[in-house]
């Protein structure tokens, strides 16, 4: 069994996120043995990136293959640099395998690099940090061809106020107030190394770099920062929100369409 690391891109608009639904078993035997014309098809319950890739890899291998992503992305979230790994018994070179995978993938998913890695490499367990970007269209005029990739906020936004609010969120904190995760035993402490906010014409780009992010964390941070930009909140409120640990005190959940996973570091 050889271990492969892939970097892939996808437009998440029509998918239910990265993680497959239902059980955790790898691609089922019936998927591996179905016809070329139908083996990538799936029902509405499991229209996920992981699900599609596992069905494809299982077909190529002729046996179930399980793939591990660096982390989950929500339904509708995009990726420019998602990383995944899988073990496969194949005689194909990495380059030939990549070409075969891409020949079957739909036009909104693509593997952009592949390499054989040591057996112990695991895309999720080995990840040391991630970078996300969120795009806001700060204009009352819609951008028709960008509508799937931005959150349109027509109200004037104060970038300076949002930068000040972001400075309170950088560093190591308990981000319990900024996640939709139900109560559990897992730690909600994370480190945000930097939040960069830059206006690019009528767009504002928010870049988040950190050692890991909780469920919905970036999108709730975005909802909170946008409220600050609208002057519905003061930047100085951020420490109190963090201290409270209460989800209802933080801002709303920003739409998934503006968010993209840019890079995973190891």
């Amino acid at each position: 069994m050889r271990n492969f690391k892939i970097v892939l891109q996808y437009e998440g608009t029509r998918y239910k996120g990265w993680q497959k639904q239902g059980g955790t078993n790898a691609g089922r035997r019936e998927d591996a043995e179905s016809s070329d014309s139908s083996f990538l098809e799936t029902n509405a319950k499991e229209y996920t990136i992981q699900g599609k890739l596992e069905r494809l890899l299982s077909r190529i291998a002729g046996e179930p293959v399980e793939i591990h992503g660096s982390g989950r992305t929500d339904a509708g979230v995009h990726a420019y640099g998602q990383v995944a790994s899988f073990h496969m018994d194949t005689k194909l070179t990495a380059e030939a395998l990549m070409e075969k995978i891409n020949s079957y993938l739909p036009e909104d998913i693509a593997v952009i690099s592949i390499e054989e890695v040591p057996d112990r490499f695991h895309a999720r367990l080995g990840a040391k940090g991630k970078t996300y970007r969120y795009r806001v269209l700060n204009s009352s005029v819609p951008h028709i061809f960008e509508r799937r990739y931005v959150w349109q906020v027509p109200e004037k936004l104060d970038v300076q106020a949002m930068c000040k609010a972001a400075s309170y969120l950088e560093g190591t904190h308990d981000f319990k107030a900024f996640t939709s995760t139900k109560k559990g035993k897992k730690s909600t402490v994370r480190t945000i190394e930097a939040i960069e906010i830059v206006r690019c014409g009528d767009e504002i780009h928010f870049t988040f770099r950190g050692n890991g992010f909780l469920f919905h964390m970036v999108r709730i941070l975005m909802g909170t920062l946008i409220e600050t930009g609208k002057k519905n909140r003061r930047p100085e409120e951020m420490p109190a929100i963090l201290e409270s640990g209460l989800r209802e005190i933080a801002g709303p959940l920003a739409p998934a369409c503006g968010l993209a996973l840019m890079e995973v570091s190891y």
Side-chain angles (χ1 to χ4, degrees), residues 247-265:
R247 168 66 188 94
E248 56 268 28
I249 295 181
L253 181 68
C257 59
L259 183 60
L261 172 61
M262 304 302 294
E263 183 181 8
V264 183
S265 59

Side-chain angles (χ1 to χ4, degrees), residues 78 134-138 142-153 203-205 255-259:
H78 316 294
Y134 198 102
R135 293 171 59 190
V136 170
L137 173 60
N138 191 204
H143 285 195
I144 295 302
F145 298 108
E146 296 295 314
R147 68 189 186 282
R148 293 180 175 179
Y149 316 109
V150 297
W151 176 18
Q152 184 177 5
V153 179
E203 283 192 22
I204 303 175
H205 295 173
C257 59
L259 183 60

Side-chain angles (χ1 to χ4, degrees), residues 108-132:
D108 51 7
I109 307 175
V111 174
I112 61 172
S113 72
I114 186 169
E115 62 179 308
E116 193 167 353
V117 290
D119 187 66
R120 295 185 63 182
F121 177 84
H122 191 286
R124 179 175 59 84
L125 299 179
K128 301 299 183 184
K130 294 177 183 175
T131 300
Y132 283 90

